[in-house]
Amino acid sequence: GQQVMQIPQYQHVQEGEDFTTYCNSSTTLSNIQWYKQRPGGHPVFLIQLVKSGEVKKQKRLTFQFGEAKKNSSLHITATQTTDVGTYFCAGGANAGGTSYGKLTFGQGTILTVHP
Amino acid sequence: DAGITQSPRHKVTETGTPVTLRCHQTENHRYMYWYRQDPGHGLRLIHYSYGVKDTDKGEVSDGYSVSRSKTEDFLLTLESATSSQTSVYFCAISEASRGGRAEQFFGPGTRLTVL
């Protein structure tokens, strides 16, 4: 079945440093979504990418979808303490059948920001 | 936040006892999902539903069953709880109209401990 690997598992940064997490799928994806989970909270949707090579930005966050639609990255510029949490990528199955919106989640990257 | 509630929020039970977790939504979304979250594994899909009485297995369905008799309610049952089912359980919903590419909205989670 579809597998989505995410690295690194943990990242500790000083406030102001940049952060990147990478996601790699074993199969071509229809779309990729990113979620953030604050400590003790639930995952919250950040963004979705659907096109090959797509790049989207949200303030200090930059999301990329690879040309082959098998990998993705999230880059945070100049981290702040409010960025603390776990970041998950989640891949949607490629078209060809009814996916029912199912997603395969990566293991997540736990980001710690030291002030 | 989307109108999703989960009950109970916390439960401690003993091995061998049946447990039912409830997910209730007020958004009238067609798709509903049950995940478990464990350290190092991210979110893994247990079961999902694509309509009333329409359910199917996810990647970690052994030992779990589900039912959906109304659009708004999705129940997850552990027929005979085991210690390996100690986890945090999240319910999620998504809207079907966007061709399976809709974002998922998560409930607050249920922390289950099986002694």
Side-chain angles (χ1 to χ4, degrees):
Chain A
Q2 183 178 53
Q3 290 186 325
V4 176
M5 304 299 293
Q6 189 175 352
I7 58 170
Q9 187 173 356
Y10 301 94
Q11 187 73 57
H12 306 275
V13 299
Q14 289 292 131
E15 189 173 19
E17 292 181 338
D18 292 356
F19 159 75
T20 306
T21 175
Y22 301 90
C23 208
N24 197 54
S25 170
S26 59
T27 59
T28 303
L29 300 170
S30 168
N31 59 302
I32 195 153
Q33 299 179 6
W34 286 90
Y35 292 78
K36 177 182 178 181
Q37 183 179 22
R38 296 184 187 276
H42 58 274
V44 175
F45 174 79
L46 293 176
I47 207 161
Q48 174 171 254
L49 307 170
V50 298
K51 299 177 182 176
S52 170
E54 189 170 13
V55 178
K56 286 188 175 181
K57 293 189 176 184
Q58 287 181 349
K59 297 182 180 178
R60 295 178 293 104
L61 278 61
T62 302
F63 304 84
Q64 295 187 342
F65 200 10
E67 293 290 341
K69 300 183 73 173
K70 295 182 72 174
N71 56 68
S72 182
S73 65
L74 158 60
H75 179 82
I76 302 178
T77 303
T79 54
Q80 301 175 358
T81 55
T82 53
D83 295 324
V84 163
T86 302
Y87 292 84
F88 292 100
C89 62
N94 204 5
T98 304
S99 70
Y100 302 115
K102 288 186 295 177
L103 297 170
T104 301
F105 280 78
Q107 296 90 336
T109 296
I110 300 172
L111 174 64
T112 304
V113 179
H114 300 285
Chain B
D1 284 346
I4 312 169
T5 56
Q6 291 184 232
S7 58
R9 295 292 314 279
H10 302 270
K11 186 169 182 68
V12 179
T13 191
E14 294 190 349
T15 298
T17 60
V19 176
T20 295
L21 309 182
R22 180 183 184 234
C23 177
H24 178 78
Q25 60 146 329
T26 58
E27 304 296 321
N28 201 36
H29 283 2
R30 181 180 171 189
Y31 297 156
M32 299 186 75
Y33 314 87
W34 275 108
Y35 292 92
R36 59 178 292 172
Q37 182 174 26
D38 306 288
H41 290 277
L43 292 152
R44 293 182 291 174
L45 182 65
I46 305 171
H47 281 278
Y48 64 99
S49 171
Y50 47 95
V52 173
K53 292 186 169 47
D54 292 322
T55 66
D56 205 348
K57 297 177 180 180
E59 62 176 301
V60 289
S61 59
D62 286 350
Y64 302 95
S65 62
V66 290
S67 66
R68 191 170 178 197
S69 59
K70 298 185 291 185
T71 299
E72 57 266 35
D73 289 326
F74 193 30
L75 303 180
L76 176 71
T77 297
L78 291 65
E79 301 290 348
S80 178
T82 67
S83 59
S84 64
Q85 293 176 312
T86 292
S87 186
V88 178
Y89 291 85
F90 285 101
C91 173
I93 63 174
S94 73
E95 177 55 62
S97 64
R98 291 173 54 184
R101 287 178 172 176
E103 63 266 36
Q104 294 187 7
F105 299 96
F106 284 79
T110 293
R111 184 172 295 275
L112 176 67
T113 302
V114 183
L115 302 175

